[in-house]
Amino acid sequence: MKKQYKVGIYCRLSVDDASNSAKAKNYIPGDESASIENQHEILSKFVMLNGWMEVKTYRDDGYSGGNFQRPGFLEMLEDARHGLINLILVKDLSRLGRDFVEVGRYTDVIFPSLGCRFVSVLDCLDSEGDNTDMLHFRSLMNDYHLKDLSGKIKSVLYAKKKSGQYLTAYAPYGYRKSDEDKHRLVVDEEAAAVVREIYQMRCSGMAYGKIAAALNKKGILSPRWHWEIHYGKKGSCKYSKLWTYATVKNILNDTVYLGIVTQNRTGSRSYKDKTMIQKPEMEWICHEDAHEAIIDRELWETVQEKNRAVKQQAANHAAPLPALFTGKLVCADCGHPLIATRETQRRKNGTVKRYVSYICSHFATTGHSACSWHRIYEISLKTLVLNEIRAHSQAVAQDENAVLDKLKQQILYESTAKQEDSKLEISRLRRRIGELEHMTAKLYEDKVSGTINSDTFAILIQKSEQERIQKATRLEALLAEERKARQEVENIRQWAGIIRRYLDVQGLDRDIVDELIDHIEIGERSVIEGQRRQDIKIFYRFVGVV
């Protein structure tokens, strides 16, 4: 019997494809052939003509062919892994991608391993045909096209930078883009007044954090929010309204406020690797007097001298070692990480005692304008964590089965009855999917024998396949829940095996913290009936809170 193909149609259109389409060359009508809709129409007709079954269409609009982390593409691979499709159909090979190595890996290795046939319509390429040699040649030409396009775009952008045009997407705080020329900056008087105030505060000796706190106290919105309200979508900004230490520091070190535009500081490694890297200073492109300055040279130099003095003072101190719980502590109220601070206490007898404590980073970076301290001393937290590890280790050593049973009950989010219902539903779904697959085979036999006509066949097969896909999706979800439950039980056993080793632990170091602890939530201190209290939750790796 002829093999039944369940087709996944893949359509992709990048920004570059759209701007260089056949439509721009004036030899096709307005319904551009490179469009997503047109790709789907062509491929859908091709599926029908071949008597295949169209299961799903995957779309990636606005994604480059050199990037394979596209949502539609990844969804298609996932469906292929679960057997929902067994044939991948594209208009031409460049829709799949333009990276020669990656395209070859998918067509030669990944698709066959998933049991998927690959067909490119306009290239007349079929992974089950005898013309697969052309596939690699066309893929190489698509790769060359991507490289050539990347080089041309970089050349154009470089020329624009050399001519002094401002190409960054957003104007820096204190400026806006000119209405007449979007590549030129003009002063935004409202924000410029804030910038001048920031420089004056720094000149008077205020620290970055104190300046941020002063701006927050006055209710001045952060640069992101200022842009959103004046030039954006009027209040849909997802970023904080508060000023932070880093924002103030960046403004106080940016030469743009002297009227200097500096570009070409960063770039990608290659047309295949979009990772941004810092370029050497000799490659920077600078233009003096590119726009009106907000800060005069004298004030700028005074501020820079203070910045250099603070930087030198910090450099003179030896860099401290990472604190024991760095990266493991989370504020219970705002969710931001806690950062380590070091304190020195001089005693009456002349000795010096050094302490490490942790405070909420959101509280610190906003100049104490948001959240609160959530301070905890490392010595206290170290004792608490060490005692809890010992207690859990002793409990496992005395009666491991009791501990495992307790944890199993703790992580079960469904009742026993619901789990039994899930098992029954899985059994019913498997039986029904088997029936539908048998029904599909029977429909093909009836079509071949002439018992039913093509129109009736198309209607019945589509209805049957839709139900099968729905049942298969539900079955996979239930099986995933079962796998998750089994994995959680295995995680408990793994945790018990690790914690048992620390029965006689005498001290706590970073290796132990990394092996056992996922994170620790730190609440704010409070005083209840004269007693200090602070909620602390330790989340262990594999099992969470025990």
Side-chain angles (χ1 to χ4, degrees):
M1 187 176 68
K2 185 178 178 182
K3 183 175 180 180
Q4 178 190 353
Y5 282 108
K6 298 170 288 185
V7 181
I9 292 176
Y10 181 70
C11 306
R12 181 185 67 82
L13 181 69
S14 74
V15 175
D16 296 326
D17 293 323
S19 60
N20 294 287
S21 65
K23 179 182 176 182
K25 298 173 185 175
N26 298 318
Y27 66 83
I28 62 168
D31 56 338
E32 183 178 353
S33 68
S35 72
I36 291 284
E37 293 75 14
N38 222 272
Q39 287 181 50
H40 176 261
E41 184 180 350
I42 292 169
L43 298 176
S44 187
K45 288 179 181 177
F46 190 81
V47 171
M48 184 178 65
L49 289 171
N50 282 275
W52 297 335
M53 184 190 308
E54 181 180 336
V55 174
K56 196 171 182 181
T57 300
Y58 308 89
R59 303 167 188 259
D60 282 319
D61 200 352
Y63 287 86
S64 167
N67 168 28
F68 282 82
Q69 297 302 307
R70 317 170 209 139
F73 184 77
L74 296 176
E75 182 186 358
M76 179 178 69
L77 289 180
E78 194 64 24
D79 286 349
R81 289 190 183 96
H82 292 114
L84 297 180
I85 59 174
N86 61 5
L87 190 153
I88 292 171
L89 186 67
V90 297
K91 182 169 78 74
D92 60 67
L93 195 59
S94 67
R95 298 308 92 203
L96 181 67
R98 293 188 182 274
D99 186 315
F100 173 68
V101 175
E102 282 296 293
V103 168
R105 188 167 71 89
Y106 279 104
T107 57
D108 292 352
V109 180
I110 296 179
F111 292 164
S113 71
L114 296 175
C116 263
R117 179 179 174 184
F118 174 74
V119 176
S120 173
V121 175
L122 299 187
D123 298 316
C124 298
L125 297 175
D126 188 340
S127 62
E128 292 190 0
D130 55 2
N131 60 345
T132 54
D133 291 341
M134 287 298 295
L135 187 149
H136 300 290
F137 176 73
R138 290 184 184 276
S139 178
L140 183 60
M141 294 305 296
N142 287 328
D143 193 307
Y144 174 77
H145 171 75
L146 185 64
K147 180 181 179 181
D148 182 57
L149 186 63
S150 175
K152 289 176 180 177
I153 291 172
K154 285 182 178 179
S155 296
V156 171
L157 292 177
Y158 187 81
K160 288 185 175 183
K161 292 173 185 176
K162 290 291 285 185
S163 68
Q165 295 185 46
Y166 186 82
L167 299 182
T168 306
Y170 299 98
Y173 185 70
Y175 292 97
R176 62 178 177 84
K177 292 188 176 182
S178 169
D179 295 331
E180 291 76 26
D181 182 1
K182 65 179 181 179
H183 298 306
R184 189 171 65 86
L185 298 177
V186 294
V187 175
D188 176 342
E189 289 299 338
E190 181 182 338
V194 178
V195 172
R196 296 186 188 102
E197 185 179 1
I198 290 172
Y199 272 80
Q200 289 296 339
M201 286 191 283
R202 183 61 169 170
C203 191
S204 67
M206 288 182 68
Y208 298 135
K210 294 292 184 183
I211 295 173
L215 296 172
N216 290 330
K217 188 175 181 180
K218 289 182 179 181
I220 298 173
L221 293 176
S222 66
R224 286 275 193 173
W225 267 89
H226 175 83
W227 183 92
E228 185 64 37
I229 289 175
H230 289 81
Y231 312 110
K233 297 178 181 177
K234 313 303 178 190
S236 63
C237 184
K238 63 181 180 180
Y239 297 96
S240 172
K241 295 182 179 181
L242 299 175
W243 287 77
T244 65
Y245 171 101
T247 306
V248 172
K249 183 179 179 181
N250 290 338
I251 288 176
L252 288 168
N253 287 275
D254 197 337
T255 56
V256 73
Y257 300 110
L258 285 175
I260 300 172
V261 167
T262 304
Q263 299 185 104
N264 211 47
R265 292 186 180 186
T266 61
S268 59
R269 287 178 175 153
S270 75
Y271 72 100
K272 290 187 178 182
D273 185 355
K274 300 302 180 182
T275 304
M276 298 303 291
I277 58 172
Q278 291 289 331
K279 293 186 176 182
E281 195 168 342
M282 66 178 66
E283 295 183 21
W284 294 3
I285 300 174
C286 297
H287 286 274
E288 301 270 353
D289 301 320
H291 52 265
E292 181 183 347
I294 292 177
I295 305 300
D296 62 64
R297 178 68 66 172
E298 183 180 353
L299 178 57
W300 166 268
E301 292 297 345
T302 303
V303 168
Q304 297 315 304
E305 186 59 38
K306 289 186 178 294
N307 293 345
R308 284 191 290 269
V310 171
K311 190 175 180 180
Q312 184 61 43
Q313 184 180 3
N316 290 335
H317 293 82
L321 295 172
L324 180 62
F325 294 103
T326 296
K328 295 291 183 180
L329 306 185
V330 177
C331 175
D333 292 321
C334 71
H336 284 75
L338 269 63
I339 55 174
T341 62
R342 289 166 172 81
E343 305 171 26
T344 301
Q345 185 184 84
R346 298 186 181 277
R347 299 179 175 179
K348 292 181 180 179
N349 59 7
T351 60
V352 176
K353 183 71 173 178
R354 290 182 172 84
Y355 296 93
V356 175
S357 64
Y358 301 86
I359 62 171
C360 175
S361 61
H362 194 38
F363 179 70
T365 57
T366 58
H368 304 180
S369 300
C371 205
S372 58
W373 284 102
H374 290 74
R375 184 189 297 278
I376 186 164
Y377 283 92
E378 184 174 277
I379 189 169
S380 302
L381 185 59
K382 186 176 180 180
T383 301
L384 185 150
V385 172
L386 192 58
N387 288 340
E388 184 165 310
I389 289 173
R390 286 172 180 159
H392 290 317
S393 183
Q394 289 172 3
V396 170
Q398 289 173 3
D399 192 343
E400 182 172 340
N401 289 331
V403 174
L404 294 179
D405 289 341
K406 178 185 174 183
L407 289 174
K408 287 176 188 177
Q409 291 299 320
Q410 182 176 309
I411 65 173
L412 288 178
Y413 54 88
E414 292 182 332
S415 66
T416 304
K418 190 172 182 181
Q419 290 179 43
E420 289 299 323
D421 290 343
S422 177
K423 289 179 180 178
L424 290 173
E425 187 177 358
I426 287 172
S427 178
R428 287 197 300 269
L429 287 169
R430 281 176 170 159
R431 186 166 55 252
R432 180 56 180 164
I433 289 171
E435 292 171 355
L436 290 169
E437 289 175 346
H438 178 73
M439 188 186 304
T440 298
K442 185 67 169 60
L443 284 171
Y444 272 98
E445 291 176 359
D446 290 345
K447 181 189 176 186
V448 172
S449 65
T451 306
I452 59 174
N453 59 36
S454 297
D455 291 339
T456 304
F457 169 80
I459 294 170
L460 294 175
I461 201 73
Q462 183 179 10
K463 181 179 179 181
S464 174
E465 185 60 17
Q466 285 177 347
E467 183 183 354
R468 193 197 66 80
I469 292 171
Q470 182 183 14
K471 302 294 186 190
T473 303
R474 175 58 179 164
L475 176 61
E476 179 55 36
L478 292 173
L479 292 174
E481 289 179 4
E482 276 196 346
R483 289 194 295 270
K484 182 181 177 182
R486 288 196 296 270
Q487 184 60 51
E488 285 176 339
V489 172
E490 182 57 36
N491 288 343
I492 292 171
R493 294 195 184 98
Q494 190 171 351
W495 175 82
I498 294 172
I499 200 76
R500 180 191 285 276
R501 300 204 309 265
Y502 294 100
L503 182 61
D504 299 317
V505 64
Q506 299 301 313
L508 201 62
D509 58 29
R510 184 67 193 192
D511 290 339
I512 297 175
V513 171
D514 283 335
E515 184 175 27
L516 286 176
I517 295 173
D518 182 75
H519 69 279
I520 303 174
E521 278 189 3
I522 306 296
E524 184 56 281
R525 293 181 182 181
S526 60
V527 178
I528 300 176
E529 297 179 355
Q531 298 292 321
R532 287 185 180 180
R533 293 194 59 182
Q534 188 170 21
D535 289 332
I536 298 171
K537 289 183 180 179
I538 302 174
F539 290 78
Y540 291 92
R541 292 180 62 216
F542 306 115
V543 294
V545 178
V546 180

